Amino acid sequence: TARSRELFERAKLTIPGGAGSTARLPRNGWNPYPLFIEQGQGSRITDVDGNEYVDYLLGLGPDILGHRHPVVTEAVVKAIQEQGTSFGLPYELEIEASEKVVAAVPGVEQVRFANSGSEAVGQAVRIARATTGRRIIVRFEGLYHGWQDSVYWSNHVDLDKAGSAERPRPVAMGPGVPAELEETLVVLTWNDAESFVKLMEERGEEIAAVITEPAVLNTGCILPEPGYLELLRSETTKYGAMLIFDEVITGFRIARGGAHEYYGVIPDLTTYAKGVGGGFPVAAIGGTKEAMRLIADGTYSHSGTYNANVVQCAAVSATMDLLAEPGLYERQRALGDRLARGLESIANDNGIDAYVTGLGTVFQLWFADGPIKNWRDAVAHTREGVFKRWYEEMLVRGVLFHPLQFENLFVSLVHDDRDIDDTLEAAAGAMKV
Ligand code: PMP
């Protein structure tokens, strides 16, 4: 790690903190020197000290086609060379990209491109408020919807401050977020039908939108209980509130049509980012025509200098074509499941309590002493020390994933059997230590 250390010291002089937040996690003296990356290719990434890793972090998710997919890269370069970078004016490639997204996702009839997941969420929340004329947004503990203010909340919230499970207080809005915004948020415990129904009975008519990840990928990988997403759908419809699926992670990952296809539940609005551009920085807001009405008639201006620029639309268009390969998701889900189950059995064979929750192309191996169906369970049951050792032992054996147990492992659409075999072999060594 000599060169990484050197670069970190240099970075701190001109970059506050020296590196992005994830690279600096976990704190408290553990892993103090972030890895500096030389390059990534497909499912593998190399650091500046020449170490190669099978990569399950995938740029925090967006590299669903692995690093530097040649087809997407070539499409982007070609579009820039032939057309330019951004116009602030309409052009045909934007229509092509939107048509392909609409074709891929069952419940998305129209789509607008944006620059980041946070931005897309902020816009979706505004559209919901403008459409309903209401101001309250309901969100859930343990989920993350980006850095923008309106629904900001640390996913890894301090439960001492948050209070009761039935109705956690909107704490942890974070430094710099106006405290008044707390009044516009109601926070609930996820996967708890009772508290949701009760809230809707009490305040359903004040609620502009309910926002959720369809599976909680910002606390490991917690799946919805049977019927839970359907309940969110039926209750929001009943009270005239909008349902927003934040598919920044699940979109184009758990299935080509994301949760719409995988769970068969159709929200009013859906936000996308990681994945939609195969690693390029692009986000999107999709919705039914009815939900997009205010944008269509010009009441709500969805503006942004870089929205739908050439890089984004070329990346989206090429990515959508690649994702349409028949059998791709079935194959990669099976591959991801083989990895997940393999890790689980290696752990259990070595006397370590661990279990997997997942959706094939994204999962978490929990080191936990009880079942986890929401953030409160995760705090109560996970064994952080075991996870840290696991992370370190895998890293030295050439396998990289998010250094927090409350995140997850991403399997790209280009990982292959050799990656899985290498990872399982590394795990067999790591679990023995
Ligand atoms: N929503 C979800 C579900 C996310 O996981 C994230 C990012 N981790 C965001 C929104 C924010 O996206 P971005 O980082 O692109 O702003």
Side-chain angles (χ1 to χ4, degrees):
T1 60
R3 180 93 180 109
S4 271
R5 280 171 184 251
E6 209 177 285
L7 288 180
F8 187 49
E9 294 309 316
R10 184 174 139 208
K12 280 192 284 193
L13 300 176
T14 51
I15 304 170
S21 57
T22 308
R24 293 166 64 204
L25 289 169
R27 298 193 183 85
N28 305 326
W30 185 58
N31 189 25
Y33 288 94
L35 292 177
F36 278 73
I37 299 306
E38 185 73 46
Q39 56 89 26
Q41 179 69 67
S43 57
R44 308 247 168 173
I45 197 164
T46 310
D47 72 16
V48 289
D49 290 289
N51 304 303
E52 187 187 87
Y53 306 90
V54 185
D55 185 13
Y56 297 101
L57 180 65
L58 295 177
L60 299 174
D63 299 316
I64 57 170
L65 292 163
H67 297 276
R68 289 197 266 169
H69 195 289
V71 174
V72 185
T73 309
E74 200 185 305
V76 171
V77 171
K78 186 164 175 281
I80 295 171
Q81 282 172 343
E82 290 178 3
Q83 296 192 265
T85 45
S86 67
F87 308 123
L89 292 167
Y91 64 117
E92 191 170 351
L93 188 56
E94 182 182 351
I95 311 176
E96 195 179 297
S98 67
E99 286 169 347
K100 289 179 186 177
V101 170
V102 167
V105 187
V108 164
E109 294 171 341
Q110 294 192 324
V111 66
R112 281 272 190 157
F113 296 109
N115 304 287
S116 72
S118 301
E119 203 185 296
V121 167
Q123 298 277 9
V125 164
R126 279 216 205 141
I127 292 168
R129 287 192 170 126
T131 303
T132 58
R134 305 171 181 179
R135 68 173 195 150
I136 304 290
I137 305 291
V138 179
R139 57 152 303 158
F140 299 91
E141 262 180 346
L143 286 69
Y144 177 71
H145 300 296
W147 45 253
Q148 46 74 38
D149 285 359
S150 61
V151 288
Y152 183 75
W153 172 278
S154 162
N155 44 328
H156 304 146
V157 67
D158 179 348
L159 289 178
D160 289 340
K161 293 191 189 140
S164 81
E166 291 69 35
R167 195 66 56 85
R169 273 176 24 77
V171 292
M173 293 290 282
V177 183
E180 308 84 82
L181 285 177
E182 291 187 9
E183 290 161 25
T184 66
L185 262 194
V186 173
V187 183
L188 292 180
T189 297
W190 207 68
N191 256 341
D192 185 60
E194 209 176 307
S195 60
F196 182 68
V197 170
K198 187 154 167 273
L199 172 76
M200 295 308 276
E201 268 168 24
E202 286 168 6
R203 299 187 69 183
E205 264 140 42
E206 288 170 66
I207 292 163
V210 173
I211 183 167
T212 188
E213 294 182 80
V216 185
L217 293 170
N218 280 292
T219 301
C221 186
I222 303 178
L223 309 187
E225 303 261 284
Y228 188 62
L229 296 179
E230 289 80 355
L231 177 76
L232 300 184
R233 177 65 284 182
S234 60
E235 288 287 298
T236 42
T237 304
K238 181 168 154 195
Y239 289 96
M242 292 179 101
L243 179 64
I244 305 172
F245 274 2
D246 182 349
E247 293 222 54
V248 163
I249 306 187
T250 49
F252 308 102
R253 170 169 285 103
I254 62 173
R256 181 161 158 258
H260 293 219
E261 178 185 330
Y262 195 85
Y263 288 115
V265 177
I266 308 292
D268 300 289
L269 292 167
T270 309
T271 51
Y272 297 105
K274 305 177 199 273
V276 65
F280 281 84
V282 47
I285 310 162
T288 59
K289 277 195 181 133
E290 177 55 24
M292 295 298 220
R293 184 171 45 85
L294 295 189
I295 303 187
D297 72 15
T299 307
Y300 181 85
S301 162
H302 172 241
S303 63
T305 304
Y306 293 122
N307 287 357
N309 67 61
V310 177
V311 174
Q312 295 179 345
C313 292
V316 171
S317 178
T319 301
M320 291 302 125
D321 288 347
L322 289 165
L323 301 189
E325 180 192 322
L328 176 63
Y329 283 89
E330 290 75 5
R331 188 184 78 209
Q332 294 310 101
R333 260 189 238 135
L335 194 80
D337 283 340
R338 177 162 88 83
L339 174 62
R341 296 298 150 211
L343 295 176
E344 190 179 66
S345 4
I346 293 170
N348 294 335
D349 291 349
N350 282 282
I352 301 169
D353 286 334
Y355 65 88
V356 160
T357 54
L359 296 161
T361 49
V362 56
F363 68 87
Q364 184 55 292
L365 177 68
W366 294 99
F367 297 97
D369 57 15
I372 295 171
K373 65 173 191 146
N374 53 44
W375 170 244
R376 287 178 186 247
D377 293 340
V379 172
H381 296 305
T382 48
R383 297 164 65 217
E384 210 40 44
V386 184
F387 180 83
K388 279 187 181 178
R389 213 165 58 237
W390 158 242
Y391 172 80
E392 283 174 348
E393 295 297 335
M394 288 302 273
L395 194 68
V396 297
R397 287 171 175 78
V399 179
L400 178 72
F401 46 84
H402 200 293
L404 282 181
Q405 179 157 207
F406 298 136
E407 298 293 338
N408 44 60
L409 279 79
F410 292 117
V411 178
S412 78
L413 299 170
V414 302
H415 276 76
D416 61 15
D417 280 312
R418 188 173 71 93
D419 294 322
I420 307 308
D421 292 340
D422 289 353
T423 307
L424 292 174
E425 193 187 318
M431 297 279 191
K432 285 211 165 57
V433 179

